[in-house]
Amino acid sequence: MAPRGSLAVPCEVPVLAVCFLACVATGLELSVNNHAADFSLSAMLGPPLSLSCLVQNSSQAEELLWYRGDGQVGLKDGNKVNVSNICVSPVTESDNGVTFTCRLARDKSVQVSVLLDVQFPPQLSGEESLQTEEDKDVTMSCNAKSNPQAQTAWYKNNNSLTLEQNRYRLYQTSEVFQLSITKVQKSDNGTYTCVVKSPLGEGRKDFHLIVEDKKPVFPKEAVIAAVVVVTVTVLFGIVARKDKIFKVW
C-alpha cells in the first residue's frame, strides 16, 4: 500500500494549472492608441479622430466591444476580434467631454477609456437692438461656448465700460455672459459690445440700447373714478330726458 503522503501529489496538479491560468488572465490587457490605461485625448473641431483598440498578451481570439458613454457602438464582424477601430467624424462640440471605452467581451472589467477634450474657439457674432423706458431694468446676454473657457469684457461705444456701483451687474457661467443695468437713464443710450476671448480666438456681439422718455402713468383709482362719473352722468341724462322721449312717441 502506498504511503499516505503520496495522496498529495495529484492534488497539486490542478492547483498549479489554476495558478498558471490566473497568471495568463492577469497578463492579458488592452491598449487604445498605445495607451494601456485611461487617458484624455485632445482634438480639434472638424478633422476625423481614430481610436484603435488592441488585445495584448493573448494567444486566442478575443472579442472587443466599444462604448460611447453608456451606449454600445455597433461594429462590423471584421472589426471585433483582437483589433477594433472606430472613427469619430466629424468631431463636433457635442463630442467634448464624451468618454469612449473599449472592453473585453468576456470580461468587461478589462477596459481602457478615452476622454475626448475637443477644443474650439468661442462662436459669437451679430447685433441686437434693445428699446426701453427710463427707470426700467435691462439685461444683455451673450451665449458662447468654448474650450478652453473664454474670458469676457464689456465695452460701451468702443470704450471699456466703467461699472457704476449698484446699477451695473455682471453674471457669468461657462457659456453665458450677462450685463444688467438697473433703472436705466438717458445717459445709458449707446452701443454695448460683449467681447469673448480664448487662446483659440474671439467673438463679439453688439447691443444697441435706446432709452426713451418715461411714459406718464395714470393711477388706476383716478381712471376708475372717471369712468364711474361718466357712467352716472349718462344715466342721469337718460332719466332726465325720459319724459320728453315718451311725449315724442
Side-chain angles (χ1 to χ4, degrees):
M1 180 180 291
R4 290 188 178 183
S6 63
L7 296 177
V9 176
C11 294
E12 293 178 0
V13 175
V15 172
L16 290 174
V18 170
C19 291
F20 175 75
L21 292 175
C23 292
V24 171
T26 304
L28 187 150
E29 64 180 12
L30 303 181
S31 67
V32 174
N33 289 18
N34 297 321
H35 291 266
D38 296 348
F39 67 103
S40 177
L41 182 61
S42 295
M44 301 299 292
L45 289 181
L49 177 68
S50 296
L51 300 175
S52 180
C53 184
L54 175 66
V55 177
Q56 296 182 342
N57 302 328
S58 176
S59 58
Q60 65 182 44
E62 298 286 357
E63 183 181 354
L64 297 172
L65 305 173
W66 273 104
Y67 292 82
R68 175 191 168 97
D70 295 327
Q72 187 171 346
V73 178
L75 300 173
K76 294 182 179 180
D77 291 338
N79 190 29
K80 294 181 179 180
V81 179
N82 290 346
V83 179
S84 181
N85 301 290
I86 61 172
C87 183
V88 183
S89 179
V91 175
T92 66
E93 293 179 13
S94 62
D95 295 316
N96 184 45
V98 173
T99 298
F100 287 86
T101 304
C102 179
R103 292 190 177 118
L104 196 66
R106 67 179 177 86
D107 183 359
K108 294 182 175 60
S109 65
V110 180
Q111 64 176 41
V112 177
S113 294
V114 186
L115 176 65
L116 294 193
D117 178 26
V118 182
Q119 300 189 353
F120 52 93
Q123 298 178 1
L124 180 67
S125 61
E127 56 185 334
E128 183 178 338
S129 294
L130 301 173
Q131 196 167 336
T132 188
E133 297 177 10
E134 285 184 292
D135 291 338
K136 289 193 174 182
D137 300 341
V138 67
T139 297
M140 291 163 269
S141 297
C142 292
N143 298 315
K145 295 173 61 177
S146 65
N147 184 33
Q149 185 174 338
Q151 300 297 318
T152 184
W154 285 91
Y155 297 85
K156 179 182 179 183
N157 298 328
N158 295 323
N159 296 314
S160 294
L161 179 63
T162 301
L163 301 180
E164 294 183 27
Q165 191 174 8
N166 300 326
R167 283 218 319 125
Y168 290 81
R169 184 168 59 88
L170 295 178
Y171 172 79
Q172 177 175 332
T173 67
S174 60
E175 299 180 12
V176 179
F177 309 92
Q178 289 183 341
L179 169 65
S180 297
I181 306 177
T182 304
K183 294 185 177 180
V184 294
Q185 305 167 1
K186 281 295 191 68
S187 59
D188 293 320
N189 272 316
T191 298
Y192 294 79
T193 304
C194 169
V195 179
V196 183
K197 293 183 179 181
S198 83
L200 299 179
E202 72 172 54
R204 60 177 58 216
K205 182 177 180 179
D206 291 330
F207 297 86
H208 306 292
L209 179 62
I210 302 172
V211 181
E212 299 178 333
D213 292 330
K214 187 176 181 180
K215 296 179 181 177
V217 179
F218 296 100
K220 290 183 179 180
E221 294 80 2
V223 174
I224 295 173
V227 171
V228 171
V229 170
V230 172
T231 303
V232 171
T233 302
V234 171
L235 290 175
F236 274 117
I238 293 174
V239 172
R241 298 184 60 188
K242 181 176 65 174
D243 295 337
K244 293 182 179 180
I245 294 173
F246 281 116
K247 286 180 181 180
V248 173
W249 286 96

